[in-house]
Amino acid sequence: MNISAWVWFATLGALVVMLAVDLLIVGRRPHEPSMKEAGGWVAFYIGLAIVFGLGLWLTAGWTPAAEFYTGWLTEYSLSVDNLFVFMIIMARFSVPRRFQQKVLLIGIVLALVMRGAFIAAGAALIEQFSWVFYIFGIFLVYTAATLLKNGDEEEEFKENLLIRWAKRVFPLSSSFDSGKMTVVTETGKRLFTPLLIVMIAIGTTDLIFALDSIPAIFGITKEPYLVFTANVFALMGLRQLYFLLGGLLERLVYLNIGLAFVLAFIGVKLFLEALHTNTLAFINDGHGVHWAPEIPIWLSLVVILGTLGIATAASLVKSSRDAKRELTDTTV
């Protein structure tokens, strides 16, 4: 794709406007959104992504549109998994429900900035060194194996070095007060609220998640514009999705298995693509390995959709059976 500068500026401008509106709404009236409100916003952002993909189809053809949809779906599913950790962070720091929207929104802004930097760095690496796909592929397969290994373990948030440093350096109040970042005591001393620590926790967690999601999306498309917009649409509805899903997240017991399969599939796809464009002298004398099968984008879309659909359906069936079993045990 040949993306002109004005398209990039228009996209970034639209993103800034959406974030400004979000910040205005949340800043003026901190609250816990109702299911109806959260569902409406999630439907709006999903609809926006679908319309954007149709626009790509009409202006650039089927392939970019399919790459966008596949990348968006992958990033969205990985973002849903991230919500588990966000819930743990909110509980760990006892963030009041009415302030959680603000925390998530600022966390999403941080994620967009960090992922933008990661995308630029990844695109530059791919442009200069095609062999980086070998590293991305191996890393994704390793991540999938780790996800499977830790899938049944109780997830626990551990404070990282940056959080512990912030707690030592910044003067902190004991309460969230009115949800602002700082408060002034009766003696005139300005203190940071625990909101600052929660922001750091969310931001650093987003950074770790980007290490998985950016190689995954580059396994779908090498076009930086599609990589960026897929990430934007995946993250924009995440705040409302957090409140919409609520307790449903705990019922998605097989989501980790589904995501592990998706990551492993994309990792293998990346490795096969690296073989086709191989320049490493110790592999096939520096020539491409053309017998390696190529995985078309339509097949990637089918595999990812099918895997996530099966994982979700199986999770809900198991959760429903477990709930009935518990109910039967308590009545006996």
Side-chain angles (χ1 to χ4, degrees), residues 30-33 35 87 90 94-102 104 242-247:
H31 67 290
E32 179 183 352
M35 293 289 286
M87 289 177 66
M90 298 295 188
S94 303
V95 182
R97 294 284 289 182
R98 67 183 185 278
F99 299 144
Q100 289 184 10
Q101 276 210 89
K102 183 176 182 179
L104 289 168
Y242 173 89
F243 293 98
L244 179 64
L245 293 181

Side-chain angles (χ1 to χ4, degrees), residues 273-294:
E273 287 186 21
L275 286 174
H276 274 275
T277 58
N278 176 62
T279 57
L280 297 178
F282 59 87
I283 298 178
N284 200 31
D285 295 325
H287 301 295
V289 182
H290 301 297
W291 54 260
E294 291 187 81

Side-chain angles (χ1 to χ4, degrees), residues 282-316:
F282 59 87
I283 298 178
N284 200 31
D285 295 325
H287 301 295
V289 182
H290 301 297
W291 54 260
E294 291 187 81
I295 300 176
I297 191 64
W298 67 264
L299 181 58
S300 298
L301 183 57
V302 169
V303 168
I304 292 169
L305 267 173
T307 301
L308 295 176
I310 291 170
T312 301
S315 295
L316 296 179

Side-chain angles (χ1 to χ4, degrees), residues 60-314:
W62 158 249
T63 300
E67 289 179 354
F68 167 77
Y69 282 133
T70 307
W72 167 63
L73 186 64
T74 301
E75 294 298 293
Y76 205 59
S77 59
L78 289 171
S79 297
V80 170
D81 191 45
N82 299 354
L83 293 181
F84 282 104
V85 182
F86 291 165
M87 289 177 66
I88 294 168
I89 291 173
M90 298 295 188
R92 167 67 177 79
F93 292 101
S94 303
V95 182
R97 294 284 289 182
R98 67 183 185 278
F99 299 144
Q100 289 184 10
Q101 276 210 89
K102 183 176 182 179
V103 172
L104 289 168
L105 181 56
I106 295 177
I108 287 167
V109 173
L110 290 173
L112 285 169
V113 172
M114 288 185 291
R115 292 191 186 199
F118 273 48
I119 289 166
L125 276 173
I126 292 167
E127 184 71 24
Q128 295 296 321
F129 312 105
S130 61
W131 50 261
V132 78
F133 275 158
Y134 286 118
I135 298 174
F136 282 178
I138 293 170
F139 177 72
L140 287 178
V141 173
Y142 169 77
T143 303
T146 304
L147 201 57
L148 280 177
K149 182 181 177 182
N150 299 333
D152 295 329
E153 296 179 5
E154 187 75 20
E155 198 149 17
E156 183 181 352
F157 175 75
K158 296 179 181 178
E159 294 184 0
N160 57 46
L161 185 63
L162 186 59
I163 295 174
R164 294 196 297 270
W165 173 82
K167 282 186 170 183
R168 288 197 308 268
V169 172
F170 297 110
L172 295 171
S173 67
S174 58
S175 70
F176 285 89
D177 197 67
S178 60
K180 294 181 179 179
M181 197 71 72
T182 61
V183 292
V184 179
T185 65
E186 294 179 356
T187 59
K189 186 178 181 181
R190 184 170 292 276
L191 300 175
F192 287 96
T193 66
L195 203 61
L196 173 67
I197 305 300
V198 178
M199 298 294 185
I200 294 173
I202 293 286
T204 51
T205 302
D206 279 329
L207 179 62
I208 294 169
F209 287 143
L211 296 175
D212 296 341
S213 63
I214 298 306
I217 186 68
F218 272 116
I220 304 298
T221 176
K222 302 179 189 68
E223 174 55 54
Y225 182 76
L226 296 180
V227 172
F228 179 73
T229 50
N231 270 274
V232 167
F233 282 106
L235 288 171
M236 286 304 295
L238 195 60
R239 173 171 59 87
Q240 293 85 359
L241 190 64
Y242 173 89
F243 293 98
L244 179 64
L245 293 181
L248 180 62
L249 282 173
E250 297 177 358
R251 298 175 62 190
L252 299 178
V253 292
Y254 294 133
L255 180 62
N256 275 357
I257 296 175
L259 290 177
F261 182 84
V262 168
L263 289 176
F265 172 78
I266 297 173
V268 171
K269 182 177 184 292
L270 272 172
F271 202 86
L272 292 174
E273 287 186 21
L275 286 174
H276 274 275
T277 58
N278 176 62
T279 57
L280 297 178
F282 59 87
I283 298 178
N284 200 31
D285 295 325
H287 301 295
V289 182
H290 301 297
W291 54 260
E294 291 187 81
I295 300 176
I297 191 64
W298 67 264
L299 181 58
S300 298
L301 183 57
V302 169
V303 168
I304 292 169
L305 267 173
T307 301
L308 295 176
I310 291 170
T312 301

Side-chain angles (χ1 to χ4, degrees), residues 42-63:
V42 169
F44 169 76
Y45 283 119
I46 290 175
L48 209 59
I50 293 171
V51 170
F52 182 81
L54 290 175
L56 283 172
W57 193 346
L58 293 173
T59 57
W62 158 249
T63 300

